[in-house]
Structures are given as C-alpha cells and as structure tokens.
Amino acid sequence: QSMEGAEPCPLDPFVVLPDSSKYVDQQTLKLQESPEDIPTGELPRNILLVVDRHLVQKIVPGTRVTTVGIFSIMQAKQGKNENFAIRQPYLRVVGLEEDSEGSSRSAPTFTLEEEQNFREFASQSDCLDRIFGSIAPSIFGSPDIKRAIACLLFGGSRKRLPDGTRIRGDINVLMLGDPSTAKSQFLKFVEQVAPISVYTSGKGSSAAGLTASVIKDPSSGEFYLEGGAMVLADGGVVCIDEFDKMRMEDRVAIHEAMEQQTISIAKAGITTVLNSRAAVLAAANPPSGRYDDLKTAQENIDIQTTMLSRFDLIFIVKDEKSFNRDLEIARHIVGVHRRAGESTVMDNSDNAKDNFLKRYIEYCKHRCSPRLAESASQILQNEYVRIRQSSREQSVQTKDSPAVPITVRQLEAIVRVSESLAKMQLQLNVTESHVREAIRLFNVSTVDASNSGIMDSIVFTAEQREEFAQIEQQIKRRLAIGASLSEKRLIDDVIKYGFTEQSIRRSLVFLTQQGDVEHRRERRIVHRRR
C-alpha cells in the first residue's frame, strides 16, 4: 500500500548500476554457407552468430567452422513503418570447431601414418616428376607451365630479417596468350587443389572487392571492414582470370598486395593494415585478342611494367599450328570426352590423388623452409648478372627498353622458385640442381617473353622475301625521303599493283623496325626518314 500522495511503484522497480556490474566480452559474427553447397544461381545465405566470453576473437574471417549453438530470436530494428511482430533469428554460440578438411587457418594436424607416407614420397627419385604429372592431368602439353604452377602451389620460404623487414615467399605467375590454350582450366585446377583459394574474374572485380571495403553496420551505425578476395585468400592463392580486362584503377589496388603482401586502408576514419600473404595466378589475353607476331613484345603485353616486375614467371602461350601437335591434342581431347562417363573407379582414384596432393602441399608448407646453399648462391649471382647484361645489350641494339624489365625482383623470383623445388622434396638446403631448374624455368618464361618480338619469330620463304622487296620498292617510289603520306592512301596506291593489304601492312611494320619509315599522328600518317 503506497502512502498518500506518493507515486505508485513502477512495474519494474530495478535499476542497472553500471559500476557494480560484471561484464563479459561479446562479438557478433556472420556465418555464410560454403561456396560448394550453394545452389546454382543463388546468393549464399548467412545467419548472425553471437559469441561471448572465451570464444571471442577465436576465429578469423575466411575460416570454415562447425558451430553448435542455441537458435534464438531478437527484436528486429524498428523502422518507420515496420511491424512490431518481426523478429530476427540468430545463433547463440556454445562451441566452435575449425574444419581441418576445408581451408583452415590454424596449423594443420597430420597423423603419423600420413607423415610417414609423405616422407617416403619425398625420398623417391621421381618425386618431382610425379608432382608435375599430377598438375592438371586433363590438359595436354604445357610442361613448363605445369612446373611453374607446382612451384606456385608449394611456394618459397617467407623470410623475416633482423630489422623486421619481411621478404615474400609466394610466387606470382602470369599466363598471357591466345584464346583456347587452357589458361582458365589451369586456374580452375589450382582453385580446387590449393588448400586456400579464391577465384575472381577481371571484369567482375572492383578495387574494393579485391582488397577491402568499409561497410556501415545497420544495427549500431558504426563502420566496419569487410575483407575482399586478397584478404580472404591469406596464406593461399588468388586466381584472377581476364586480368587484362580489369580497369586500371582496380589493377593498381593489388600492387601493394603482390609485393609487400599487406593492404593498407584509410577510409571513413578506419586506418589499418591487413595481411594478404597470397600468391597470384593471373591469365590475360593480348590487347588484340590473339598474340600477334607482327607486333613488338610491348604492344602484345599491354600491362604496365610496374605490374609485370611483380610477376615472378611470365608465360606467353601461343596456339602453334603444326600437324603433329594438332593431331595429338585432338586425340587427347577426344579421349578425355570419351572416358568422361566410363567408370567411377577412375574418378575415385583422381579424387584420392588430388586429396593427397592437397595434404602434401599443406605438409610441405608448414614443415619445410629451405635455404640457399653456398655453391647454389654463386651460380645464381653469375646467372643474374648475365641476364642483366644480355638485356642491356638487347636494349642498346633495338634502341628500346625490353617489354619485361629484368630487375632485382627477378633475382628474388629465381630464389623463390628454387626454394619451392627443394620444398617439394622436403629438403632443407637448395642445391645446384634446384637452382639450375629454376633458371631454366625463368629463361623459358620471363626471358623469352621479354625477347619475343618481330624479328626472331617470323621465318619467311624466298617468295615472301621477294614480294616484300617489290612492295618496299613501290613504297619508296611513292614516298621521297622526308615526305609524308596518309597510310590509307599509300596502301590504296600499292594495292593497284596486285599486292594484298596484309602483305603491305607487314612490309610497313618491317620498314618501321628498320627505321626507314615512322608513323605519325596516331599512326594515320607514314613519314619516310631515310
């Protein structure tokens, strides 16, 4: 009974005293279904998780987890015209377990039997050949690209210097060339085999999607960071298809991630540095769609030199036309299609092979960190100086800088490739044979790409040479030294003598190479220099 004149007791007379309360940590997470379980054409579903006390800060983004919890509901945020009866579901987490099968971030565990199998496999003399053979077996040929991809999957040794500087151990590979040379198939294979991997396409990726984006939390109104592809693939591989179709400003965003292996963010009051220790495997087409032998290497590789120097190995993949090779490829592809639906025994053995390779890669990455031996480092120094020298001589001869610059990064690239070859055999020392194989790979990829151009790649028959001499004569008759003429008119004049437009254009390219003529005004005018 309340006293006269006093206000009645409220329904809930208790007041929270903040000073005397005990607090526990709480964190909200977003759980999303794994990519392989999403039905075709649907967006991945997600649910809110609430973790507290000792489970806070246990899980990093991108980890695959199994969760046990209590399915609860909470009042949804009230809008202007929202219904009061709407509740939002969430999971109050009791326990979290990281999946060891999926792309787990913690150090993987191996049974004694597995470790014994791995060591036996590594001690075999044909260990390297068997690893190279199990890389994309359904793709015919391209042995060097398969070797490079094996090196990319195993990676070199990440080093930390006494002054705190970090040197990356991941190997970046670029494949550039004609369509239908199985570039995307290689990317898809790596996505399946790499323990952690993210696959993106050039046109469908923005700078924020590759690095990190700042998002406003609808419930609290605060800003938070959401990691993009490069952050989610930390410790794994990022496969970027259609690399040449990426917008310039988006391509710049991955410069830092490829060399320093961090992503710096300064947006909306958030200033932070995220780790992105991922290897990059990129596939691109030349600007004209096909690799054109009539153009110089710079015109075919239309990617900035700052970007190119960050790739350890650059392969130019050409669709060569030769009768025997075409016959073998046709036989191989028809065989793949014929055997596709035959037996499940083959499929099971292939899956077991892939699974073994995946586990072996994980084992090598976590248990082995090779270093260069003295004799091997001497070979490396001499080879690097020789490559730089030949690159300098070539640029003096052609009066043009090479398409792919040979810098100190390329020396580090050879070191990383030789470390990954030693890692495949679980050896702690990089021997001379590893370095020689790494130098050979570097020569057939980056050095060849740098040297690829007009003069070396075309061999002419006597008739073609004669035709070129006649066209050259007609062009020089039309153009006096120091005179200019529009290219279209010049070609129209020379066509009257029975030559094709293609051979006239080819002759013009040769004359430009020799320095007799040059193009002006966006290649519309031809000017004769000598």
Side-chain angles (χ1 to χ4, degrees):
Q1 182 76 32
S2 61
M3 288 167 62
E4 283 294 321
E7 60 180 76
C9 288
L11 285 173
D12 185 4
F14 298 105
V15 180
V16 174
L17 298 174
D19 300 347
S20 314
S21 305
K22 275 188 179 175
Y23 294 92
V24 293
D25 295 331
Q26 192 180 44
Q27 185 186 18
T28 53
L29 306 170
K30 193 161 85 173
L31 181 74
Q32 183 173 303
E33 61 182 330
S34 56
E36 51 267 25
D37 300 338
I38 303 169
T40 313
E42 288 188 21
L43 285 171
R45 294 167 295 183
N46 52 279
I47 186 170
L48 214 63
L49 302 184
V50 176
V51 294
D52 50 21
R53 297 183 175 86
H54 64 282
L55 291 173
V56 171
Q57 300 289 345
K58 275 283 168 71
I59 286 299
V60 292
T63 319
R64 297 183 177 221
V65 291
T66 308
T67 314
V68 179
I70 304 151
F71 189 75
S72 322
I73 51 171
M74 61 178 177
Q75 177 72 48
K77 194 182 176 196
Q78 293 298 319
K80 282 182 183 172
N81 45 13
E82 271 190 26
N83 199 335
F84 273 93
I86 291 177
R87 301 282 186 274
Q88 189 179 348
Y90 73 96
L91 204 61
R92 193 161 166 214
V93 178
V94 179
L96 282 169
E97 185 185 26
E98 287 194 26
D99 288 3
S100 57
E101 265 307 299
S103 48
S104 163
R105 298 299 158 121
S106 62
T109 50
F110 301 98
T111 61
L112 282 170
E113 188 185 349
E114 271 185 319
E115 289 199 21
Q116 204 172 343
N117 286 347
F118 292 151
R119 288 209 183 95
E120 277 176 22
F121 178 76
S123 62
Q124 291 171 4
S125 57
D126 61 343
C127 158
L128 286 178
D129 293 330
R130 286 178 64 180
I131 291 173
F132 299 148
S134 55
I135 300 286
S138 62
I139 297 171
F140 174 82
S142 313
D144 290 326
I145 295 180
K146 290 182 181 180
R147 282 164 183 255
I149 285 174
C151 293
L152 173 131
L153 286 168
F154 283 86
S157 307
R158 195 173 288 132
K159 302 172 190 76
R160 188 164 188 172
L161 305 182
D163 62 350
T165 314
R166 287 181 181 167
I167 300 175
R168 73 177 163 106
D170 296 298
I171 296 169
N172 301 325
V173 177
L174 171 70
M175 292 181 288
L176 183 123
D178 295 338
S180 83
T181 44
K183 296 192 297 290
S184 300
Q185 289 297 327
F186 277 124
L187 298 189
K188 284 290 180 192
F189 174 80
V190 170
E191 187 201 8
Q192 285 170 3
V193 170
I196 301 168
S197 67
V198 173
Y199 181 93
T200 79
S201 179
K203 254 304 184 225
S205 313
S206 66
L210 282 168
T211 53
S213 50
V214 177
I215 293 171
K216 194 172 184 179
D217 186 10
S219 55
S220 65
E222 290 180 359
F223 289 104
Y224 68 95
L225 274 180
E226 197 157 278
M230 303 285 286
V231 179
L232 291 179
D234 185 26
V237 184
V238 183
C239 302
I240 307 177
D241 205 356
E242 307 293 349
F243 190 66
D244 55 312
K245 316 281 189 306
M246 278 173 78
R247 288 183 294 278
M248 196 56 236
E249 56 270 23
D250 299 340
R251 217 183 282 167
V252 170
I254 60 175
H255 271 204
E256 184 195 357
M258 282 177 72
E259 191 57 48
Q260 277 72 41
Q261 301 213 305
T262 55
I263 287 168
S264 315
I265 296 287
K267 295 177 184 173
I270 296 174
T271 310
T272 182
V273 175
L274 303 169
N275 281 333
S276 71
R277 295 161 300 205
V280 175
L281 176 62
N285 294 112
S288 58
R290 293 187 72 84
Y291 194 87
D292 190 350
D293 284 331
L294 280 180
K295 290 182 177 170
T296 58
Q298 279 96 329
E299 289 169 326
N300 274 316
I301 308 172
D302 189 29
I303 297 172
Q304 278 188 321
T305 48
T306 49
M307 192 88 225
L308 286 176
S309 71
R310 285 169 163 79
F311 282 105
D312 299 337
L313 298 171
I314 298 168
F315 284 94
I316 288 185
V317 197
K318 291 183 190 170
D319 186 8
E320 291 165 7
K321 298 172 181 65
S322 78
F323 178 77
N324 292 337
R325 190 167 179 273
D326 291 349
L327 195 66
E328 284 180 355
I329 289 180
R331 193 181 293 137
H332 175 82
I333 288 173
V334 169
V336 167
H337 279 267
R338 199 181 67 241
R339 289 192 300 270
E342 272 184 7
S343 70
T344 52
V345 179
M346 285 279 286
D347 294 350
N348 290 340
S349 71
D350 284 356
N351 286 345
K353 265 187 190 173
D354 281 0
N355 209 9
F356 175 79
L357 188 62
K358 202 171 188 173
R359 293 289 283 166
Y360 186 62
I361 290 168
E362 274 192 294
Y363 181 78
C364 293
K365 273 189 158 184
H366 284 91
R367 299 293 166 89
C368 184
S369 181
R371 290 286 182 269
L372 274 173
E374 185 63 42
S375 56
S377 55
Q378 196 58 48
I379 295 176
L380 257 176
Q381 290 169 26
N382 300 341
E383 188 61 25
Y384 171 68
V385 173
R386 190 192 64 74
I387 293 174
R388 282 277 288 193
Q389 185 65 32
S390 61
S391 169
R392 196 178 304 122
E393 284 169 7
Q394 189 198 350
S395 59
V396 167
Q397 282 171 7
T398 58
K399 297 189 177 69
D400 207 354
S401 58
V404 182
I406 306 294
T407 62
V408 181
R409 277 183 183 154
Q410 273 59 41
L411 174 62
E412 289 186 344
I414 304 175
V415 173
R416 278 191 285 271
V417 173
S418 38
E419 280 171 354
S420 70
L421 290 165
K423 198 183 273 191
M424 288 178 207
Q425 295 177 306
L426 288 176
Q427 291 183 10
L428 292 174
N429 280 330
V430 178
T431 60
E432 293 180 25
S433 60
H434 296 140
V435 171
R436 287 212 167 88
E437 173 61 17
I439 289 170
R440 190 195 67 79
L441 262 180
F442 184 74
N443 280 328
V444 298
S445 58
T446 312
V447 176
D448 278 11
S450 166
N451 295 342
S452 68
I454 298 176
M455 293 309 188
D456 315 329
S457 56
I458 304 178
V459 180
F460 294 114
T461 59
E463 293 88 29
Q464 282 176 317
R465 281 204 197 90
E466 198 177 317
E467 187 186 31
F468 281 147
Q470 289 172 357
I471 294 173
E472 193 177 329
Q473 196 180 346
Q474 293 297 341
I475 289 175
K476 287 185 173 174
R477 195 177 284 175
R478 291 277 168 295
L479 270 177
I481 294 173
S484 301
L485 188 66
S486 85
E487 187 182 54
K488 189 173 182 303
R489 192 169 157 198
L490 180 69
I491 290 171
D492 287 346
D493 283 353
V494 181
I495 280 179
K496 293 172 187 169
Y497 291 91
F499 302 112
T500 63
E501 185 179 341
Q502 193 183 2
S503 17
I504 298 168
R505 284 189 184 279
R506 198 173 282 198
S507 303
L508 276 172
V509 168
F510 264 97
L511 289 170
T512 312
Q513 277 278 309
Q514 290 164 6
D516 290 354
V517 300
E518 66 178 1
H519 283 87
R520 291 184 176 176
R521 293 197 205 159
E522 296 169 359
R523 301 183 69 85
R524 287 201 298 267
I525 303 287
V526 179
H527 173 80
R528 185 170 167 196
R529 292 169 64 188
R530 60 185 190 199

